[in-house]
């Protein structure tokens, strides 16, 4: 019940295309869902986050879509750029500031 | 404004030894969490410290212990090191009080066990 399942494991997208990464969770007590971006040799950096009271949140080229009934959420990266090539992790927690449960990660490569 | 800083950057130890990793939280943060990230995997929660007490703990053995100091900095101690402890150890800080703030991560300590 503490797991967050992330797919796909890896993704190759052409420059300018849309990258889509999906996550699913079981524990309905989760109420905070962040996405993190990690470059090699660096720690995860918070990209965007959502709470279950909204179905979508957009920040620049990054959008989170949230489906509470399906217990799924996804990250969309519009107009993907080579600089977006990194590993992306979805995560979930119960109450803000509590421990984060991470997905296994998606390695994104944007081809120029 | 300095973010989360961790030291050392890299560390090599042998089986059976013990190790201490250090973390300074982002300015204004009062909570420190530690995560273990094995190669090719997502971070796994070890424990969280708030007001110098362990607030939450993940599924890690007692060989993993920690401490938080009055200035909010924190240490992670691992005893009787095993080969499987080789990983990137991440510290994250956040603010629990008030409106709160999300967890911000440092760049980690890469621990290699020989």
């Amino acid at each position: 019940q503490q797991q967050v399942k992330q797919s796909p494991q890896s993704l190759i997208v052409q420059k300018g295309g849309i990258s889509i990464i999906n996550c699913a969770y079981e524990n309905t007590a989760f109420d905070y869902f962040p996405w993190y971006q990690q470059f090699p040799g660096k720690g995860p950096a918070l990209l965007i986050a959502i709470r279950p009271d909204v179905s979508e949140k957009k920040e620049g080229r990054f959008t989170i879509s949230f489906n509470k009934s399906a217990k799924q959420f996804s990250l969309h990266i519009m107009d993907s750029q080579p600089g977006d090539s990194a590993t992306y992790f979805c995560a979930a927690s119960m109450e803000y500031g509590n421990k984060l449960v991470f997905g296994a990660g998606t390695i994104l490569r944007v081809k120029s | 404004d300095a973010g989360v800083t961790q030291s050392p950057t890299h560390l090599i130890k042998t089986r059976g030894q013990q190790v201490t990793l250090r973390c300074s939280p982002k300015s204004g943060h009062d909570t420190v969490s530690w995560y273990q990230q094995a190669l090719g995997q997502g971070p796994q929660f070890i424990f969280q410290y708030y007001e110098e007490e362990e607030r939450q703990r993940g599924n890690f053995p007692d060989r993993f212990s920690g401490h938080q100091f009055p200035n909010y900095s924190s240490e992670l101690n691992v005893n009787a090191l095993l080969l499987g402890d080789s990983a990137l150890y991440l510290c994250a800080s956040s603010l629990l009080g008030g409106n709160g703030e999300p967890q911000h991560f440092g760049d980690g300590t890469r621990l290699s066990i020989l």
Side-chain angles (χ1 to χ4, degrees):
Chain A
Q1 277 227 330
Q2 288 294 317
Q3 278 189 322
V4 175
K5 295 183 179 180
Q6 183 172 346
S7 63
Q9 283 186 305
S10 63
L11 183 61
I12 300 175
V13 173
Q14 287 293 129
K15 178 182 175 181
I18 302 173
S19 303
I20 302 174
I21 305 170
N22 302 298
C23 283
Y25 64 97
E26 288 296 323
N27 192 338
T28 55
F30 287 144
D31 68 353
Y32 174 68
F33 302 89
W35 284 89
Y36 284 84
Q37 178 190 57
Q38 186 175 29
F39 292 104
K42 296 291 187 181
L46 179 66
L47 259 183
I48 186 172
I50 198 168
R51 291 188 179 275
D53 53 346
V54 297
S55 60
E56 186 174 282
K57 182 175 181 180
K58 183 176 181 179
E59 289 184 2
R61 296 185 295 110
F62 301 93
T63 300
I64 299 180
S65 297
F66 188 85
N67 186 329
K68 188 174 181 178
S69 61
K71 292 185 285 186
Q72 295 175 348
F73 58 110
S74 61
L75 175 70
H76 291 64
I77 306 174
M78 313 300 287
D79 188 26
S80 298
Q81 299 296 313
D84 296 330
S85 297
T87 301
Y88 291 81
F89 293 97
C90 62
S93 71
M94 290 179 279
E95 296 183 18
Y96 201 62
N98 277 357
K99 70 175 188 179
L100 290 166
V101 178
F102 281 85
T106 296
I107 301 171
L108 171 65
R109 179 183 162 207
V110 181
K111 295 174 66 175
S112 55
Chain B
D1 181 21
V4 179
T5 58
Q6 293 186 242
S7 63
T9 306
H10 296 88
L11 204 49
I12 299 175
K13 293 285 187 179
T14 57
R15 282 180 297 174
Q17 287 188 311
Q18 71 93 24
V19 68
T20 297
L21 310 182
R22 295 176 175 82
C23 172
S24 291
K26 182 181 177 183
S27 178
H29 284 185
D30 59 7
T31 304
V32 173
S33 303
W34 287 92
Y35 293 80
Q36 180 194 66
Q37 185 177 21
L39 199 61
Q41 297 183 23
Q44 298 290 318
F45 176 78
I46 303 175
F47 42 56
Q48 183 182 79
Y49 278 83
Y50 173 67
E51 292 187 338
E52 302 179 49
E53 296 285 335
E54 184 180 286
R55 180 172 176 266
Q56 290 183 305
R57 188 177 183 93
N59 189 26
F60 278 79
D62 292 345
R63 298 187 297 108
F64 290 77
S65 63
H67 189 78
Q68 185 180 34
F69 299 94
N71 66 353
Y72 307 115
S73 67
S74 176
E75 287 182 350
L76 164 65
N77 301 291
V78 187
N79 295 322
L81 287 166
L82 303 173
L83 292 178
D85 294 332
S86 294
L88 179 68
Y89 287 85
L90 295 163
C91 170
S93 72
S94 56
L95 179 66
L96 273 187
N99 291 325
E101 261 206 23
Q103 294 188 30
H104 293 255
F105 285 81
D107 288 336
T109 294
R110 172 70 63 186
L111 176 62
S112 300
I113 311 300
L114 303 179

